[in-house]
Structure formats: C-alpha cells, structure tokens
Amino acid sequence: MFFRHTLEQRGVRTPDDFLPQYRAAAARLGLTNTEPAPKTVEGWLYSGRKPQRPFRPVIVEMLGYSIDDLWTDVPEGTTPAFAPLTGTSPTAPHADADVDLNEMKRTGTMAVRRAKEFLLGKDRETVGDDTLGLLDDEVTRLVTAYPRQPLSTLWDDLLDTQEQVFRLLEGGRVRPSQLRDLNIKAAVLSFLVAKGFNDMETPHQAMTMTRVAASCARDAEHPGLIALSDGLKSLIAYWADKPEDAYHYAGQGAATAADLRGTVGLWLLGLQARAAAVLGDAETVHAANQQAADRRERVVPDDLDRLGGLFTYAPEKQLYYTVESEALLGHGNPQLAAQAEQAVQDFSDPSAPNWAFGDLAGSQCDLALIRLFSGDVDGAAEAIRPVLDLPTSHRNNGIVVSALRVRHALMSSPAHTAAAARDLRAEIEAFPVSRPALPRG
C-alpha cells in the first residue's frame, strides 16, 4: 500500500508516530474534532482499511497525495511514480502557511486602489535591459505556475511584480522602444490578478482589475490581449451567475479576435457556448462549438499561445468547455459521457504542459453531471470523489460552483431519495462550508 510505503519513508510506523503529524496537518487546515483513535490508525497502517471521509482531507494535507493514490497497492521492491498534489506536499511550503483569506483580500484591495491610481494618472517615458529581463523571467514563472498552484503560493509575488511594472511605467525612465513591452507585461499581470480575485469570489474587484488589464492592452495596441480582457470579463460574469453579461462580453471579445490566428478567438467562442448553455440556447451552443472546432484546424500559435498558461486555449481545454456546455443543457447520452471521460483523462497527468487543477476538477464535475443525467448516481459519485477530496488550498470559486451544480442536479434527479444520492448531496453541501475559498493560517 502506497500509504504505508510513504509513511515508512518518513520513519512513521506506528500510531504514536503518525498522530503528531496528523494533528499538525489538521491544525493547518483549521479542522477540529477529526482526530482518529489509535485503533483506527492501526487499521489504516496494518489492515489497509481506507479512512472515512472526515479524515481524508487531513491525510491528503499531511502526505501530499490523493487518497486514491495512497490506497493503491505497490508491488514489493518497486518505487511508485505518483505525482504529489501541488501545494500539499510536506516537502514544499504549505499553501496555507501564514495566509488568511481576509488578509489576501485586504492586500488585493490595496492593489486595486493602486491600479486605479495608475490608470487615472499614468505618466511614462524612458530602464535597463537587465531589469526588463528579470521582469520577463518573473512574468513567465507566474503565468506558468498560476493554473498549477494554489493562489496563496503566488499572490504576494504577483502583486509585487505588478507593482514593479506600474512603477516603471510611471517613473519617467522608460524608453519609447520599451513602452509597448511594459504595457504588455502590465496587461498580463493585471489579467492574473483579476483572475485571482475571481478565484477568491470577489467579482467586483476582479472586474475592476480586468479593466486595468484592458487599458494596458489598448496602450500596447495588442488586439489579442484586448480580446482576452473581454474574455475574462465573460468568465467573471459566468462564475457570478450572470450569463447574459457573460454572453455579451464573450461576443464583444470574439468580434475583436475574429481575424486573429491564435487560440484566443476559440476561447471566446467557448465562453459564448457556456453562457448560451446557461441561458438554455442550444442552437447557439452548437453553432459556437462547431465554429471553434472549425477554427482549430487553422490555428497559428501567436505570442500569447507561446506564453502559455491562461493565455492559450489548448485542445484539451476546448474539449472540457464543449462538454461543459452540453452538460449545462442537461444532456447525458453515452457519446457525451465518453467525451466527458476523455476530458478528465486529458487532464490526468500533472506533468503535462497544459495541466491545470481547476480544469481537471471542472471536467470531473461535468462527468458527474452527465452521469447523473443518465441516471448513474454511483458513477457520478465516483467522478466527483477526487474533487471532494481536494485540500482547502485548491477549492477556488469555480471549483466550488461546479461542485454545487452537481448537488443541484442531485436534488432534481429521479434518484434523489436513494441513500447514495442523499449521502453525496450532504457531502457536497459541506464542501464549500469547510473551505474559506482559499487557505487560512
């Protein structure tokens, strides 16, 4: 069993060894009254018994691997190759160390105020190439890390880097040849900060920062970033349950991106399809998804695609969006179920370049929905299980909303009175309650 193998690698062989580390992990999560009895730990260690659900988040936090990986048999003498969950491994800085959601919102609010001042009073002129090189490295790191790590591990660096770029733009030391590059950096960083506010469930702040990103994109005369800013407005409205606004912003961005060859135009079509699905407009859903599929054949990667992260729309993400739009229409046929399973599979490898924990969780929730619509409650529970086992550091706004959609579908399912459906519904109800949107200290 990988669970026992992992503990033995750390010198943990008895309940007395195990419990102090378990208590420390529970404290990091802010959980109380979840300590197992020594006899219970013995069952996990020596009998291979799988822990009950209240104990699982603490074990995941403690060891840094999913419950399914930990309770996988490992042949004697072999070295397992399971990938640790980003931000939960005890060998890496804990995602929730010294971080409080209210403090993150406070510092973020200061950044919005600062950005407003920048937007209202920017004055720029002519910085060394070394400074720009350092900023290039930091922007690349943050863009790459954002979809893969909890926001709390990146937030301070993100705000600091944005502040540095703003200072350069305002400082009167920028050469005209550097101005466009710095405005592009400011747009990219403001985009990420806005996405962070959305993940923290503060849509007003997110929308304000998106407008800053759009202003910088216009100053850089970069149509791709301008279109992306409209896409982010659509995304914020979508997760805030404002589908009409989401559809409007996606259409506005799609018009800007109509002649672009990169993937930004495809993302905007995907956003249109999802918003139309919430509005019940199946004809628009299918038309937008078909147009995106046709355009995929003609994509020529641009500078945003080369940047990667949230700035490219990979084929696996396109499939995830397509499946989600169909799930939102209430569909659940075998062909769609196969597509949903493929979407989950496409995000199953954390080492893949386009992997994102949020996209994986979203695709797992969509698979659960589609299985529910075909009457398969047990299959839905199996699909959403990895989402419900996520540590609190990974439970951002989009993931919580996606999980709650499954709960809503359970309530209207013909099987809603079955014991399995009731248990799953209760567990999903507890999912957002036990997390402060992002980790706390």
Side-chain angles (χ1 to χ4, degrees), residues 273 276-277 279-289 325-326 329 331:
L279 294 168
D281 185 354
E283 184 178 350
T284 298
V285 169
H286 298 148
N289 283 336
S325 63
E326 294 291 339
L329 288 171
H331 297 163

Side-chain angles (χ1 to χ4, degrees), residues 100-407:
D100 180 85
L101 179 61
N102 290 329
E103 176 64 13
M104 290 171 66
K105 287 184 178 181
R106 186 191 69 78
T107 57
T109 298
M110 292 171 60
V112 169
R113 189 179 302 117
R114 176 72 183 83
K116 285 181 178 178
E117 293 171 0
F118 163 76
L119 189 58
L120 294 172
K122 50 189 174 178
D123 176 28
R124 28 196 167 35
E125 269 180 63
T126 81
V127 162
D129 290 338
D130 289 338
T131 299
L132 292 178
L134 288 172
L135 286 172
D136 279 334
D137 293 343
E138 190 64 3
V139 169
T140 299
R141 180 183 74 83
L142 291 167
V143 168
T144 301
Y146 193 100
R148 311 177 75 86
Q149 296 181 20
L151 178 59
S152 58
T153 65
L154 305 170
W155 187 244
D156 287 345
D157 287 349
L158 189 51
L159 297 183
D160 286 346
T161 307
Q162 183 196 43
E163 169 71 11
Q164 290 164 5
V165 172
F166 284 168
R167 282 180 180 170
L168 291 176
L169 283 167
E170 291 179 319
R173 297 182 295 123
V174 180
R175 296 193 299 271
S177 59
Q178 299 170 327
L179 191 55
R180 183 174 189 269
D181 179 51
L182 277 171
N183 271 304
I184 288 173
K185 288 179 173 62
V188 167
L189 292 165
S190 298
F191 183 102
L192 293 177
V193 173
K195 179 64 165 60
F197 277 116
N198 184 67
D199 288 346
M200 288 191 284
E201 203 174 353
T202 52
H204 175 71
Q205 304 284 45
M207 196 64 81
T208 298
M209 192 60 80
T210 304
R211 296 189 189 283
V212 176
S215 173
C216 295
R218 286 192 294 271
D219 284 349
E221 298 181 346
H222 196 300
L225 280 170
I226 295 169
L228 272 172
S229 298
D230 284 327
L232 187 54
K233 291 176 187 176
S234 175
L235 190 78
I236 294 164
Y238 174 74
W239 291 119
D241 196 24
K242 296 180 178 179
E244 295 90 350
D245 290 351
Y247 185 80
H248 165 74
Y249 287 127
Q252 187 171 283
T256 302
D259 295 327
L260 301 179
R261 299 294 301 277
T263 63
V264 59
L266 280 66
W267 181 49
L268 286 151
L269 289 168
L271 290 165
Q272 272 190 310
R274 292 203 309 187
V278 178
L279 294 168
D281 185 354
E283 184 178 350
T284 298
V285 169
H286 298 148
N289 283 336
Q290 185 58 55
Q291 188 179 351
D294 293 342
R295 285 182 63 170
R296 172 65 65 179
E297 303 296 324
R298 303 191 300 274
V299 162
V300 177
D302 58 15
D303 58 333
L304 296 176
D305 292 309
R306 288 188 289 273
L307 191 58
L310 301 180
F311 297 88
T312 189
Y313 189 58
E316 49 266 55
K317 189 160 187 171
Q318 185 171 350
L319 177 60
Y320 156 46
Y321 270 49
T322 300
V323 168
E324 180 151 299
S325 63
E326 294 291 339
L328 291 169
L329 288 171
H331 297 163
N333 58 64
Q335 181 181 357
L336 183 57
Q339 287 183 303
E341 289 166 3
Q342 183 62 52
V344 172
Q345 180 62 34
D346 286 349
F347 286 112
S348 64
D349 180 5
S351 66
N354 296 314
W355 184 82
F357 73 84
D359 293 341
L360 172 59
S363 62
Q364 289 164 332
C365 290
D366 291 339
L367 177 58
L369 278 175
I370 289 161
R371 287 178 174 174
L372 265 182
F373 294 147
S374 63
D376 183 4
V377 176
D378 290 338
E382 178 187 13
I384 201 174
R385 167 58 41 216
V387 179
L388 300 180
D389 285 341
L390 282 172
T392 56
S393 57
H394 291 65
R395 301 182 190 183
N396 63 33
N397 181 42
I399 291 175
V400 168
V401 171
S402 297
L404 292 177
R405 283 181 183 147
V406 179
R407 176 184 174 274

